[in-house]
Amino acid sequence: MKFVRVAGVCMVFALLTPVQERATAAPASCESLASLRLPTATVTSAGEVGSGAFALPPPAGTAAVRALAALPAFCRVAVTSKPTADSDIKIEVWLPTSGWNGKFQAVGNGGWAGTISYAAMAAALARGYATASTDSGHTTPGASFAVDHPEKLVDYAHRSLHETAVHAKAIISAYYGSNPTASLWNGCSTGGNQGLTLAAMYPADFDAIVAGAPPDDRARVHAVRLVLHRIVHRTAGSYIPPSKYPAIHEAVMQACDAADGVKDGVIENPEGCRFDPKVLQCKDADGPSCLTAEQVDTARALYADIKHPQSGRVLYSPLLQPGSELLWGALAGPQPFSNATETYKYLVAKDASWDPARFNPATDVEKMDAAAAVLNTANPNLKPFFARGGKLLLYHGWSDQQNPASTSVNYFKRVVDIVGKSAVGKSIQLYMVPGMNHCQGGVGTDTFDKVAAMEDWMARGRAPAQIVASHATAGKVDRTRPLCPYPQVAVYKGSGSTDEAASFACRAPRR
């Protein structure tokens, strides 16, 4: 036994010594990183980029181009990682040549990924972070890459995220001669799910995770989107045309807008909204401001749990919330949501010509669950992540027209059920954003500094009691409002401007 103990100690020193040496090594030049040896990966290029000299590959949005034009100089490193014979994961790491804040921030993707998130990297670099992004292992705009390539699907689902973290940290350490003092993940939508994935599957990769609008059980989310579409189009007369959305939205506002003490076009607490679309049922002939009996049933279904057509069991909580009516077309339009169609087409049917009209809710939900199970990476058991001191900031727009707002609420509750209520505010916190659409936009205060909120949390040890968010019209801020830790909501104090955050307090919702 004595020999075993000594051998064990020696092994520990053998594992720790390279890390310690790397942490105290002399800084390297940017060009020398081209010869850096990485496990499972190869550096394909490394070179300095002058201030404002980086140009986005086309197509590039105007806002992204402006952001890049203001970037400071940085060292740009490109990496190709091949953890399996069928892997081809592209990673970029950007390193400030001066003014590094000592930290690392990786940024997430959207949809089926397939591209490096340059604009998000630019935002991180501008704050002094060393930053990284991955294309998740493929370069196609949809899910066709997954057909007959199970390892590429695994890369997309989770492995590329871990590869990015490992190789980026090695590059950061080599360039600066020291390891980052903190590692942060920041993403929304698919990027939000990627954050939950990292917390659950790779709890040692990041110290803090900012996850917005994350679909947790992705296979089921895609399936119920297709179920909802079939419900909307169950008969020739059940579809609600977009021309009627404003009338429905106005009726919802009349019923629920003033519950927070001010009528401002924003429902602070959709969970407390009681609205029955039957109030809009046409009394005589169909018209632009009323709903037929079939359309009333459709509107009710859009706010309701999604149930199995045979057993009646709940497949998923509501996909849409009161206040989201103007954007119902994303999930209840003429065609199903494209990401859901792509999932069934390439992961289940494996047929590029598959027609969504063939989707059968009675049998195909289970098929989707089985074929796309690899996408379900957001396990709510985050005990290992929290045990390391990890922090998870969740946020979601109540008016999200793509990923159900209920997803984040339910995930938050499941995590707390597993780890205990003491984790709330210490290790995990959820902030719901009234009136915000998918990740951004909408009538609500959709602009807020998530990274600054997380930095404050890490410094103080407690999640912010509120986050001040703003709304802008034509580039000018015209409203601020506090975002509250769920389940609290912002309530008007009774005095002061209703467009100022200081006039509101975070309080428990009225039931």
Side-chain angles (χ1 to χ4, degrees), residues 68-413:
L68 290 168
L71 281 183
F74 64 96
C75 172
R76 182 187 183 191
V77 182
V79 174
T80 297
S81 181
K82 295 181 177 291
T84 75
D86 197 30
S87 295
D88 186 26
I89 302 168
K90 297 296 191 290
I91 300 166
E92 286 207 22
V93 183
W94 293 1
L95 310 148
T97 56
S98 63
W100 180 43
N101 65 10
K103 303 171 189 174
F104 165 48
Q105 181 185 157
V107 297
N109 302 103
W112 281 99
T115 60
I116 300 291
S117 300
Y118 290 112
M121 291 182 73
L125 187 80
R127 302 181 76 125
Y129 282 89
T131 183
S133 175
T134 177
D135 66 359
S136 80
H138 67 96
T139 57
T140 62
S144 61
F145 74 92
V147 178
D148 299 325
H149 292 282
E151 294 299 339
K152 288 186 181 297
L153 186 58
V154 173
D155 287 338
Y156 166 79
H158 62 84
R159 189 161 50 207
S160 63
L161 311 176
H162 178 60
E163 292 288 306
T164 299
V166 169
H167 301 315
K169 289 179 183 179
I171 290 168
I172 291 169
S173 179
Y175 183 63
Y176 294 113
S178 62
N179 294 320
T181 58
S183 297
L184 170 70
W185 175 269
N186 182 20
C188 191
S189 192
T190 291
N193 179 273
Q194 290 171 331
L196 304 189
T197 298
L198 287 159
M201 299 187 68
Y202 304 103
D205 281 358
F206 290 90
D207 304 301
I209 291 171
V210 177
D216 58 347
D217 184 343
R218 285 192 283 182
R220 178 59 61 83
V221 169
H222 289 315
V224 297
R225 284 166 169 163
L226 293 173
V227 173
L228 183 66
H229 189 262
R230 293 306 301 272
I231 292 172
V232 170
H233 294 275
R234 65 191 179 279
T235 70
S238 59
Y239 173 62
I240 302 175
S243 59
K244 294 193 177 188
Y245 294 171
I248 304 170
H249 183 69
E250 177 59 27
V252 172
M253 290 296 109
Q254 289 292 333
C256 302
D257 183 8
D260 59 353
V262 57
K263 194 169 184 178
D264 57 358
V266 179
I267 300 175
E268 289 290 331
N269 180 31
E271 289 182 314
C273 177
R274 301 293 177 261
F275 171 74
D276 187 350
K278 189 174 177 62
V279 300
L280 290 172
Q281 186 164 331
C282 302
K283 294 179 173 56
D284 297 305
D286 188 9
S289 299
C290 67
L291 301 176
T292 67
E294 279 192 297
Q295 291 171 344
V296 167
D297 290 340
T298 297
R300 285 172 170 168
L302 294 177
Y303 297 125
D305 290 337
I306 305 297
K307 296 182 179 180
H308 194 281
Q310 291 180 322
S311 67
R313 76 179 188 278
V314 174
L315 297 172
Y316 213 84
S317 52
L319 301 192
L320 296 163
Q321 297 290 327
S324 65
E325 298 77 22
L326 297 178
L327 297 172
W328 276 0
L331 296 182
Q335 298 298 321
F337 191 63
S338 60
N339 285 353
T341 301
E342 289 269 324
T343 304
Y344 198 95
K345 182 181 292 185
Y346 294 112
L347 273 64
V348 184
K350 298 185 179 180
D351 177 5
S353 64
W354 178 78
D355 186 345
R358 293 158 53 190
F359 183 83
N360 182 359
T363 59
D364 289 349
V365 171
E366 288 78 5
K367 290 180 182 179
M368 185 87 91
D369 284 345
V374 67
L375 301 180
N376 297 335
T377 51
N379 190 323
N381 184 0
L382 301 186
K383 287 182 178 180
F385 178 62
F386 293 158
R388 295 185 58 257
K391 294 171 174 54
L392 174 60
L393 189 158
L394 288 162
Y395 68 92
H396 207 134
W398 272 123
S399 295
D400 195 321
Q401 75 278 25
Q402 296 184 24
N403 291 339
S406 59
T407 291
S408 288
V409 172
N410 294 338
Y411 177 82
F412 174 73
K413 290 178 179 178

Side-chain angles (χ1 to χ4, degrees), residues 421-486:
K421 293 182 180 180
S422 62
V424 178
K426 176 184 176 184
S427 303
I428 184 172
Q429 192 57 270
L430 166 64
Y431 300 87
M432 297 302 292
V433 188
M436 186 173 81
N437 301 340
H438 184 59
C439 292
Q440 60 184 0
V443 297
T445 48
D446 66 321
T447 302
F448 52 101
D449 197 332
K450 305 96 177 170
V451 173
M454 179 55 80
E455 290 173 338
D456 180 73
W457 185 351
M458 296 175 74
R460 298 175 181 271
R462 297 294 299 180
Q466 66 175 36
I467 300 174
V468 175
S470 64
H471 176 274
T473 300
K476 182 178 180 181
V477 173
D478 51 17
R479 176 178 294 167
T480 60
R481 190 69 54 87
L483 305 181
C484 303
Y486 182 85

